[in-house]
Amino acid sequence: MSLSFKGHTVVITGAGGGLGKSYSLLFASRGANVVVNDFNKEAAQKVVDQIVKAGGKAVTNSSSATDGEAVIKSALDAFGGVTILINNAGILRDKAFKNMSDKEWDPIIEVHLKGAYACTKAVWPHFRKQKFGRIVNTASAAGLYGNWGQANYSAAKMGLVGFTKSLAIEGAKYNIKATALAPIAASPMTETVMPPEMLANLQPTLVAPFVLAVCHPDGPDASGKVFEVGAGFLAEIRWERSTGTIFKTDSSFTPSAVKAKWAEVTDFSKPYYPKSGSDVDAKGHLERSITLPTNKQASPELRFDGKTVIVTGSGQGLGRIYALMYGKLGANVVVNDVNDKAANAVVGEIVKAGGKAVAAICSAMEGETIVKAAVEKFGGVHVLVANAGILRDKSFLAMTEQEWDIVIAVHLRATYKCAQAVWPIFQQQKYGRIVTTSSQVGIYGNFGQVNYSTAKAGIVGLTRTLAIEGKKYNIIANALVPSAGTAMTSTVWTQEMVDAFKPDYVAPVVGYLTSADNVNSGCLFEVLGGWAAQTRWQRSGGYSFPSKVPYTPEDVKAKWAQITAFDDGRATHPATAADALEQMVANFDNDGSKVKAKL
């Protein structure tokens, strides 16, 4: 049965060319009313003219995607409603991280993240009221795996994965479904980074049918899920977590103890597949940790003598415990916090214990100021722990633009600004260690935390690109997902949990990851209550349609079981954008003859 979109109105941002144009034409051919949004009004109008000439219905909108109200108003004015939103608008500002400035960072975050937020925010009340809505957010391989010269783009695109997962959770009650898509297709954007012979095989028409399938009321349920699509190859990706290991939570839980059992942390021989932050036996792990024998220590002891460590947001909570640990292990510690009393108190604790520390009283977004304090006091910097954060939890319907902006700024932009400030020093000395702070909310989504989820996922994308660009210079970067009782979590946790899951049970893992002994980079680790595990992507075996002729939305529905099959022995673990492209390139020569032969 043909999947018709008659009676549906679709808003597609960035639809003047490339993928957006392909989506627009296919939706219109299936009976949908289409709002073709693009800042290039002439390009948008050409797409509309093509639709109208073929007997379809469409209107242009040339507003910026960041003016979501204006974009959605076009649909309401022209067609009286809206049922589907495709957040597709995007730009590139590629540059090596050492040369990246705010002029490259800010527009990318604005167009990709703020644009998706603004359009979704504007359409959300309508979707809720009619108890139907479909949203597709456009991620990318660069976001999922990182990519050289795309720290900004990686952050934004991975941020959209977190955005999608939280929207899916909040929308479930109202039949609003959100899907993240990482497409690879020829477009004005990809023309700047891919050779023509490759682009010839990556037609947008080989992505569009998938989008229609997941947006149809009778289509497969793809809500909260992430897919990679290109050249006729379609696959789902999901999180895979190692079993990890548990440490005894006493004074023997040190970075040296972590080193001694690190192979267990990264052992995927018995993996499992979490779908939410609650998919871990936190209480059981903590109870077991108490019964374990004293932790064995690696020799020699991991120390930070002569090293200078910056810890942002270290006036309290996790940051404070990190700072005290580094001070105890011989490091010079820069205690950054906006609260001068809290920061100076931590400095006092370190000095009283015989250590060296200085306060840097400013926002974590003032990375240059923090690094200046380190250089002036201690002559350099070797480690950055980007830990600062805030919460502004609110249901997406009630969330204000200010609550969105400040969370993105304090978490994501501040991490970028601090990394940017230490980068030239790390490069010059050919040594640097960075730990950034993500969250279970960032990787799994959560109700009432769409802003936080987006920011924390974005940090993962940024970190993976820092690891790629830093490799040549012995700069290692990893993202941490810590769970601990702090001032932040006390607003959402019970007091019993806050008291039980101490920040002290996270710090030793941070210490190991930032040591000279650690060689893992670009990885993601979950840590709580003495338990530590690694989390990575697993990709389904997927399904390969012939790349020479477009498949249909009906084909996607028919092959959904194969597209999403993880347990048939074909699943893979791509770790780079090149890995992700491999199966798509392998499908370039698929003309359907093998399928015909079987028939």
Side-chain angles (χ1 to χ4, degrees):
M1 184 176 173
S2 178
L3 298 178
S4 170
F5 284 87
K6 191 173 181 179
H8 285 273
T9 295
V10 185
V11 174
I12 304 169
T13 65
L19 284 164
K21 177 182 177 181
S22 187
Y23 300 158
S24 298
L25 296 176
L26 192 55
F27 269 114
S29 74
R30 295 291 184 116
N33 307 315
V34 183
V35 176
V36 180
N37 161 264
D38 204 285
F39 71 92
N40 184 333
K41 189 173 183 179
E42 186 178 329
Q45 188 60 50
K46 285 182 179 178
V47 177
V48 168
D49 291 344
Q50 191 173 342
I51 290 171
V52 173
K53 186 178 180 181
K57 298 177 182 178
V59 296
T60 63
N61 176 281
S62 57
S63 303
S64 165
T66 58
D67 189 355
E69 291 287 348
V71 175
I72 300 306
K73 187 174 184 295
S74 288
L76 301 176
D77 290 348
F79 304 115
V82 57
T83 53
I84 297 166
L85 170 64
I86 313 295
N87 286 312
N88 171 72
I91 59 172
L92 288 178
R93 294 289 186 274
D94 294 357
K95 193 164 283 189
F97 193 64
K98 67 177 180 180
N99 298 322
M100 187 167 285
S101 70
D102 296 351
K103 290 180 180 178
E104 285 84 39
W105 177 271
D106 291 335
I108 292 291
I109 301 302
E110 185 77 2
V111 171
H112 293 269
L113 288 185
K114 188 68 176 287
Y117 159 78
C119 289
T120 308
K121 178 71 175 171
V123 83
W124 198 256
H126 303 284
F127 283 2
R128 275 182 42 133
K129 188 176 181 181
Q130 68 203 18
K131 288 189 167 49
F132 180 88
R134 296 292 182 268
I135 301 164
V136 173
N137 294 314
T138 309
S140 80
L144 303 177
Y145 310 108
N147 199 35
W148 201 96
Q150 294 191 305
N152 47 4
Y153 189 69
S154 299
K157 288 306 194 182
M158 185 60 195
L160 286 170
V161 173
F163 182 61
T164 300
K165 287 183 176 289
S166 283
L167 289 179
I169 292 168
E170 293 211 24
K173 182 179 177 182
Y174 303 96
N175 191 24
I176 303 171
K177 297 184 178 182
T179 303
L181 173 67
I184 298 184
S187 71
M189 278 175 61
T190 52
E191 281 171 8
T192 63
V193 292
M194 284 187 174
E197 59 271 18
M198 181 168 282
L199 292 171
N201 291 286
L202 293 167
Q203 294 304 309
T205 52
L206 294 170
V207 175
F210 173 85
V211 172
L212 268 70
V214 300
C215 288
H216 197 275
D218 297 326
D221 186 358
S223 197
K225 297 181 179 180
V226 188
F227 295 86
E228 295 184 87
V229 179
F233 174 74
L234 291 72
E236 182 184 352
I237 62 167
R238 66 178 179 179
W239 292 118
E240 180 181 72
R241 187 196 283 160
S242 69
T243 303
T245 194
I246 301 172
F247 298 90
K248 186 175 182 65
T249 49
D250 64 4
S251 60
S252 71
F253 187 19
T254 66
S256 298
V258 175
K259 181 185 177 182
K261 291 178 71 174
W262 190 247
E264 295 178 29
V265 175
T266 58
D267 179 6
F268 281 91
S269 61
K270 295 180 180 178
Y272 58 112
Y273 303 94
K275 294 181 180 178
S276 73
S278 61
D279 289 345
V280 57
D281 184 13
K283 190 175 180 182
H285 288 335
L286 184 60
E287 288 174 351
R288 188 181 162 206
S289 73
I290 296 168
T291 67
L292 294 175
T294 300
N295 297 299
K296 294 180 180 179
Q297 307 291 310
S299 182
E301 180 189 12
L302 292 189
R303 291 188 57 83
F304 291 83
D305 301 293
K307 299 279 197 306
T308 295
V309 179
I310 291 171
V311 185
T312 67
S314 50
Q316 60 181 340
L318 283 163
R320 172 178 168 268
I321 298 301
Y322 298 162
L324 294 175
M325 172 191 70
Y326 283 117
K328 184 179 178 182
L329 294 174
N332 307 314
V333 185
V334 179
V335 180
N336 161 255
D337 207 279
V338 291
N339 185 324
D340 60 342
K341 186 177 179 181
N344 282 309
V346 175
V347 169
E349 286 185 81
I350 293 170
V351 172
K352 187 177 179 180
K356 299 175 182 178
V358 65
I361 315 299
C362 61
S363 164
M365 284 183 279
E366 297 178 50
E368 289 184 3
T369 301
I370 300 168
V371 171
K372 185 180 178 183
V375 172
E376 288 183 349
K377 178 70 174 179
F378 301 117
V381 58
H382 305 86
V383 175
L384 167 65
V385 180
N387 167 75
I390 58 168
L391 287 179
R392 292 292 185 273
D393 294 354
K394 195 83 64 80
S395 72
F396 191 61
L397 182 70
M399 188 172 288
T400 65
E401 184 177 4
Q402 185 182 23
E403 287 161 343
W404 171 273
D405 288 343
I406 194 169
V407 168
I408 298 296
V410 171
H411 291 273
L412 185 54
R413 195 172 195 274
T415 300
Y416 148 71
K417 291 298 289 183
C418 287
Q420 182 192 48
V422 299
W423 202 258
I425 297 172
F426 285 2
Q427 275 200 334
Q428 188 176 7
Q429 68 197 15
K430 288 189 168 50
Y431 183 90
R433 296 291 183 267
I434 298 172
V435 163
T436 62
T437 308
S438 184
S439 161
Q440 288 188 323
V441 174
I443 57 180
Y444 304 117
N446 198 32
F447 187 96
Q449 294 190 296
V450 171
N451 48 3
Y452 187 69
S453 179
T454 304
K456 289 304 195 183
I459 286 170
V460 175
L462 168 62
T463 306
R464 287 189 159 151
T465 289
L466 293 181
I468 291 167
E469 295 202 34
K471 185 176 181 180
K472 180 180 176 182
Y473 302 97
N474 189 25
I475 302 171
I476 283 177
N478 290 288
L480 186 80
V481 175
S483 294
T486 66
M488 275 177 62
T489 53
S490 66
T491 63
V492 290
W493 282 14
T494 64
Q495 189 59 48
E496 183 185 10
M497 285 184 68
V498 170
D499 294 340
F501 291 91
K502 299 180 185 299
D504 309 66
Y505 305 158
V506 172
V509 178
V510 176
Y512 173 72
L513 287 172
T514 54
S515 72
D517 294 55
N518 173 44
V519 296
N520 289 90
S521 195
C523 301
L524 181 65
F525 299 96
E526 296 186 66
V527 185
L528 61 81
W531 166 79
Q534 184 179 352
T535 304
R536 65 182 182 183
W537 289 122
Q538 183 191 46
R539 182 200 260 179
S540 69
Y543 188 84
S544 296
F545 291 105
S547 62
K548 305 304 179 185
V549 287
Y551 56 96
T552 67
E554 292 78 14
D555 291 333
V556 175
K557 187 177 177 181
K559 297 298 182 183
W560 193 252
Q562 286 128 297
I563 292 167
T564 58
F566 287 96
D567 302 321
D568 58 5
R570 298 181 303 124
T572 58
H573 299 93
T576 67
D579 292 345
L581 194 58
E582 210 169 86
Q583 281 170 283
M584 296 177 193
V585 172
N587 201 46
F588 283 178
D589 296 325
N590 179 3
D591 59 5
S593 58
K594 290 182 180 178
V595 176
K596 291 175 185 175
K598 287 181 181 178
L599 295 174

